[in-house]
Amino acid sequence: MKQLRKELPFDTDEVGRFLPWIIFFMVFLGLLALAITLSVSESINGWNKNLSSHITIQVPPETASSNDLQKVITVLKSTKGIKKAQLLDSSTKLTLMEPWLGKRTENISVLLPEVIDVETDRNKFENISELKLKLKKVIPEIIVDDHREWLMRLISASEKIKAISVAVLILIGVISVISVMFATKTGLAVHTPIINLLHLMGAKDTYIVNLFQLRVLYLAIIGSLIGSVSAFIVLYIFKTIAHDIELSIYSESIGSLNNWFVLILVPLMAIVVSVVTTRRVVFRTLARMP
Amino acid sequence: MLRFENVGMRYGIGPEVLRDLNFSLDEGSFNFLTGPSGAGKTTLLKLMYLALRPTRGLVHLLGHDIALTPRSELPMIRRQIGVVFQEFRLIPHLSAFDNVALPLRISKEREDVIEKHVKELLMWVGLGNQILAKPATLSGGQQQRIAIARAIIAKPRLLLADEPTGNVDDNIALRLIHLFEELNKTGTTVIIATHNQKLLEKLDHPVIKLTNGELQILNNNSNIL
Ligand SMILES: Nc1ncnc2c1ncn2[C@@H]1O[C@H](COP(=O)(O)OP(=O)(O)O)[C@@H](O)[C@H]1O
Ligand SMILES: [Mg+2]
């Protein structure tokens, strides 16, 4: 095998030095971009699931009459997308407050705000700020707990991060293909006299393509290996640091087994793309020979 | 074995280098190809070893109409043609052995068979001691013998040599021709391009003469003068 495969003096061209670096960078950046995409989108999924269909409305103690409260409930019930609005009784409130206040007696219940539990239909209910305005007309001190809203904001920001990293990923893919094409064309140009000779001696296209393909396979594997190892080291360090500084909203998912498998696709893709691109370039060049 | 019909050849938009070639060569014949420098000898050989396609006309080669032959079948035709290029075209990083072995490896011959045949042939051309030498370490004459060995290792049906006698003295030129005659005796059709008039006079072989892109075949060497 080794004997058969030395017709082209590959050590004399620059491709051997150039291509593994390209693939190294592509795999390295690709893995980081994919890791970011994956962990962000996993976080988004998690937040979406946690996006409660409940809104909590609080009225500070002694700011509203029961009449006003009743009005608020009426407004809520007539709002589109709200399925249920219910004033909590004091025993329920006490149960809710237990983690903070412990088991207390009735007499503190007067100090607690009135709480209305609102259940929304997430598909229909949209505009919480409009609702807030309407309720504030009835009771100015009313507090609408819109944890929904900041979560939504976090989600939309994260969606942007995700979109950017997906775009980076696609860019990296395109650059890889172009670089491999460039490298292969350089190699072809350097070796044209020998390729012509082999062609004239009756070498089939596959014979010549295989010479290039084996070599690119070898170079791509080297580049991918180094790129993967480096990327995983960086990801591991990032994960540790993120954990230490409690930035874990994004980093949790990096470690899950699922994602490791997806990440392995990056070096595999790099190898496949390199080999396929090289084959196509060499075949097309050979097809132009008489 | 080889037939040209109304073949014309031009490079790009240049003038026709070869015009209206109509001739055929018999299987097993030994032919010289001659003509002044720039007459189109190399171009004609290139048409024969399928490095070029004619701009018009038909080339029939080894039983194939080349224009109608699918690309996938061309390698099999090329493997039956041995070429000694004017500038040898040895692969510099390969040893004498690997250079000569190339055609056999291309046709996927077994490695032990290759070893035996290549060594035998290198001995025969007097390079038995230089089997592992790289071309650059060998003399011009030795390189030429490697190029010839490579052209004949696969026992081609057609052997084409482009000015093999160009840079050697008459004595060696004659010996080279005898070597090709030996090969010709085994059935190989031979075409040797040369402008060495002395050789043409000394040896009685048909001569294909190119002048200004036109061709005539002279069967008797007295006609040349
Ligand atoms: N690749 C080429 N491109 C353009 N013109 C060429 C090329 N090769 C040869 N020619 C021209 O074709 C003519 C014949 O050349 P060639 O076949 O090499 O002649 P010979 O081998 O008899 O010296 C010459 O005029 C030469 O300049
Ligand atoms: Mg010439």
Side-chain angles (χ1 to χ4, degrees):
Chain A
M1 194 64 184
K2 210 177 155 225
Q3 275 243 305
L4 291 170
R5 292 303 169 202
K6 57 186 183 188
E7 289 91 334
L8 296 176
F10 284 130
D11 49 339
T12 61
D13 65 37
E14 297 291 314
V15 177
R17 255 153 291 175
F18 170 74
L19 198 65
W21 280 107
I22 291 281
I23 293 174
F24 160 79
F25 278 118
M26 294 306 149
V27 167
F28 181 73
L29 296 175
L31 277 172
L32 294 188
L34 184 63
I36 291 169
T37 310
L38 285 175
S39 54
V40 169
S41 70
E42 198 145 304
S43 305
I44 292 172
N45 285 346
W47 297 329
N48 264 326
K49 248 178 256 159
N50 291 341
L51 245 192
S52 151
S53 51
H54 288 260
I55 298 173
T56 311
I57 292 172
Q58 295 179 47
V59 181
E62 294 164 1
T63 55
S65 61
S66 61
N67 202 11
D68 288 341
L69 281 174
Q70 209 46 55
K71 254 193 217 159
V72 164
I73 298 222
T74 317
V75 169
L76 286 170
K77 281 187 169 161
S78 64
T79 303
K80 184 168 159 262
I82 289 181
K83 290 200 288 195
K84 215 176 86 183
Q86 188 186 19
L87 192 64
L88 298 186
D89 59 29
S90 31
S91 67
T92 315
K93 277 191 284 185
L94 280 174
T95 319
L96 282 175
M97 298 309 281
E98 234 176 62
W100 292 274
L101 304 176
K103 284 196 193 303
R104 293 283 183 97
T105 42
E106 297 277 331
N107 56 5
I108 66 158
S109 74
V110 283
L111 300 171
L112 290 177
E114 297 294 343
V115 177
I116 304 166
D117 180 34
V118 179
E119 198 183 326
T120 63
D121 183 340
R122 274 177 56 199
N123 299 324
K124 289 181 192 157
F125 182 77
E126 295 247 319
N127 199 340
I128 196 157
S129 29
E130 206 172 278
L131 179 66
K132 262 197 233 169
L133 281 177
K134 269 199 269 178
L135 297 180
K136 280 199 195 274
K137 269 183 210 154
V138 185
I139 307 169
E141 297 86 352
I142 200 162
I143 299 165
V144 177
D145 190 349
D146 50 358
H147 64 269
R148 259 179 74 95
E149 199 159 290
W150 74 258
L151 209 49
M152 295 271 247
R153 240 179 255 145
L154 185 58
I155 288 174
S156 98
S158 301
E159 294 279 13
K160 270 173 208 143
I161 295 176
K162 190 175 144 187
I164 290 169
S165 49
V166 168
V168 168
L169 212 55
I170 291 170
L171 195 67
I172 288 169
V174 172
I175 293 172
S176 312
V177 171
I178 293 172
S179 314
V180 174
M181 276 171 69
F182 173 74
T184 308
K185 282 190 172 154
T186 310
L188 270 171
V190 171
H191 304 302
T192 300
I194 297 176
I195 292 170
N196 272 326
L197 182 68
L198 295 174
H199 181 71
L200 290 178
M201 286 179 169
K204 291 183 178 162
D205 290 353
T206 47
Y207 184 91
I208 295 164
V209 167
N210 285 343
L211 295 173
F212 280 89
Q213 180 180 320
L214 271 175
R215 185 208 195 193
V216 159
L217 182 66
Y218 169 76
L219 296 178
I221 287 175
I222 289 182
S224 292
L225 265 180
I226 302 173
S228 305
V229 169
S230 317
F232 282 120
I233 289 172
V234 168
L235 286 176
Y236 182 78
I237 292 171
F238 173 76
K239 203 189 154 202
T240 315
I241 292 172
H243 193 80
D244 287 350
I245 62 173
E246 309 214 324
L247 228 176
S248 53
I249 44 166
Y250 285 137
S251 69
E252 279 301 299
S253 56
I254 291 177
S256 81
L257 188 65
N258 234 356
N259 293 343
W260 286 98
F261 276 120
V262 180
L263 289 179
I264 282 166
L265 285 177
V266 171
L268 286 182
M269 281 297 290
I271 293 169
V272 170
V273 164
S274 306
V275 170
V276 170
T277 308
T278 300
R279 284 182 66 90
R280 292 202 51 188
V281 170
V282 179
F283 266 126
R284 249 189 285 162
T285 308
L286 289 172
R288 269 183 245 124
M289 292 184 179
Chain B
M1 113 89 50
L2 185 133
R3 184 157 50 91
F4 276 45
E5 280 178 36
N6 303 319
V7 169
M9 181 66 209
R10 63 170 83 235
Y11 289 99
I13 54 162
E16 270 200 324
V17 174
L18 298 172
R19 276 190 300 278
D20 294 317
L21 303 191
N22 283 290
F23 72 101
S24 63
L25 298 177
D26 293 333
E27 178 110 47
S29 59
F30 190 110
N31 312 274
F32 284 117
L33 170 61
T34 193
S37 189
K41 301 183 292 298
T42 299
T43 305
L44 180 57
L45 290 179
K46 281 183 176 171
L47 289 173
M48 292 176 181
Y49 62 76
L50 305 182
L52 291 175
R53 295 297 189 96
T55 33
R56 61 191 175 87
L58 295 180
V59 173
H60 292 264
L61 191 62
L62 301 164
H64 299 264
D65 177 344
I66 296 307
L68 299 179
T69 307
R71 194 172 183 278
S72 59
E73 284 175 26
L74 294 178
M76 289 310 173
I77 301 174
R78 290 191 169 108
R79 287 178 198 181
Q80 300 177 61
I81 305 171
V83 185
V84 184
F85 301 97
Q86 187 166 6
E87 64 286 19
F88 308 150
R89 295 214 209 164
L90 298 177
I91 299 184
H93 71 284
L94 294 185
S95 65
F97 181 93
D98 287 325
N99 267 289
V100 175
L102 213 49
L104 297 179
R105 291 201 168 126
I106 284 172
S107 45
K108 304 263 188 316
E109 193 60 76
R110 277 186 20 224
E111 203 59 31
D112 55 334
V113 176
I114 292 177
E115 172 122 7
K116 185 168 163 286
H117 286 230
V118 173
K119 280 186 176 159
E120 267 173 25
L121 187 56
L122 281 172
M123 299 276 250
W124 193 67
V125 297
L127 288 168
N129 296 326
Q130 262 90 22
I131 282 179
L132 295 178
K134 298 277 163 69
T137 66
L138 298 172
S139 73
Q142 288 171 321
Q143 292 182 24
Q144 184 175 43
R145 278 180 276 155
I146 295 174
I148 292 170
R150 188 182 63 187
I152 65 181
I153 185 72
K155 301 189 176 69
R157 277 176 72 191
L158 175 61
L159 183 94
L160 307 171
D162 198 352
E163 314 229 14
T165 58
N167 300 313
V168 296
D169 67 45
D170 290 353
N171 215 357
I172 293 175
L174 210 53
R175 273 169 54 193
L176 279 176
I177 301 300
H178 288 318
L179 198 148
F180 290 128
E181 283 175 335
E182 286 302 311
L183 185 72
N184 176 244
K185 280 179 194 151
T186 68
T188 299
T189 308
V190 176
I191 303 173
I192 296 171
T194 180
H195 50 230
N196 185 329
Q197 291 297 317
K198 276 187 221 150
L199 272 182
L200 302 184
E201 288 161 33
K202 228 174 250 172
L203 299 157
D204 190 19
H205 291 298
V207 174
I208 305 163
K209 192 171 186 197
L210 280 173
T211 355
N212 295 326
E214 280 165 19
L215 178 147
Q216 61 186 133
I217 296 189
L218 313 163
N219 282 303
N220 183 328
N221 57 32
S222 60
N223 288 348
I224 304 163
L225 305 171

